[in-house]
Amino acid sequence: MKPINAMKNVPKVHMASPMLSGILYSSIWLALGALLLSAMLRFGSMQETQLPMYSLIVHGCSSLAGGFVSGKRSGARGWYYGGLLGIAYGILILIVSFLASNTGISGRTLTMLLETLLCGALGGMIGVNAKRS
């Protein structure tokens, strides 16, 4: 009879691109943040007028997490990979928001792009310096 933990022989999936893995992790964090905001809006005392501020926080956290993963996977130049990820993430969000609700570029969108750039770069710097055990 085989042991229960026979999962040792299953190959692990490894993404070669730090940017692709960072975008994947950013998307996961964005989905979790959107679920949390939806729950807070439905079951909590949060008003719809507060939603833009909280969505900026979710985008910043998502970009930070993606930058961290991207920087950790790259091993060097974390600020570069994290900042690039932040810009790519921000542009992806702008494209999705334009296609979904026909929103244009405003001061708020430029603020979001700058925030995702800075949070991604910070996450990349932290990710490069995180020790692998």
Side-chain angles (χ1 to χ4, degrees):
M1 183 189 294
K2 287 191 173 189
I4 293 176
N5 59 357
M7 297 293 289
K8 292 179 184 176
N9 297 331
V10 176
K12 292 184 180 180
V13 176
H14 179 71
M15 284 188 225
S17 171
M19 290 294 294
L20 186 60
S21 60
I23 288 288
L24 178 68
Y25 276 85
S26 290
S27 300
I28 292 169
W29 276 80
L30 176 64
L32 292 175
L35 284 174
L36 179 67
L37 284 181
S38 296
M40 286 173 53
L41 193 60
R42 172 67 174 103
F43 301 112
S45 61
M46 188 170 94
Q47 302 295 322
E48 285 185 24
T49 56
Q50 298 171 324
L51 201 55
M53 181 187 65
Y54 285 115
S55 68
L56 278 177
I57 293 171
V58 167
H59 288 309
C61 291
S62 299
S63 182
L64 184 78
F68 178 83
V69 170
S70 169
K72 191 167 184 167
R73 296 266 170 109
S74 71
R77 292 188 295 174
W79 65 271
Y80 174 75
Y81 283 105
L84 199 60
L85 176 115
I87 289 294
Y89 172 80
I91 289 172
L92 210 76
I93 294 299
L94 284 178
I95 289 171
V96 168
S97 67
F98 176 73
L99 292 175
S101 60
N102 200 17
T103 58
I105 295 177
S106 66
R108 194 173 278 171
T109 57
L110 294 176
T111 302
M112 192 262 306
L113 275 175
L114 181 66
E115 177 197 24
T116 56
L117 167 73
L118 293 175
C119 287
L122 178 67
M125 286 188 274
I126 295 171
V128 162
N129 292 314
K131 297 211 184 242
R132 294 184 185 201
S133 46

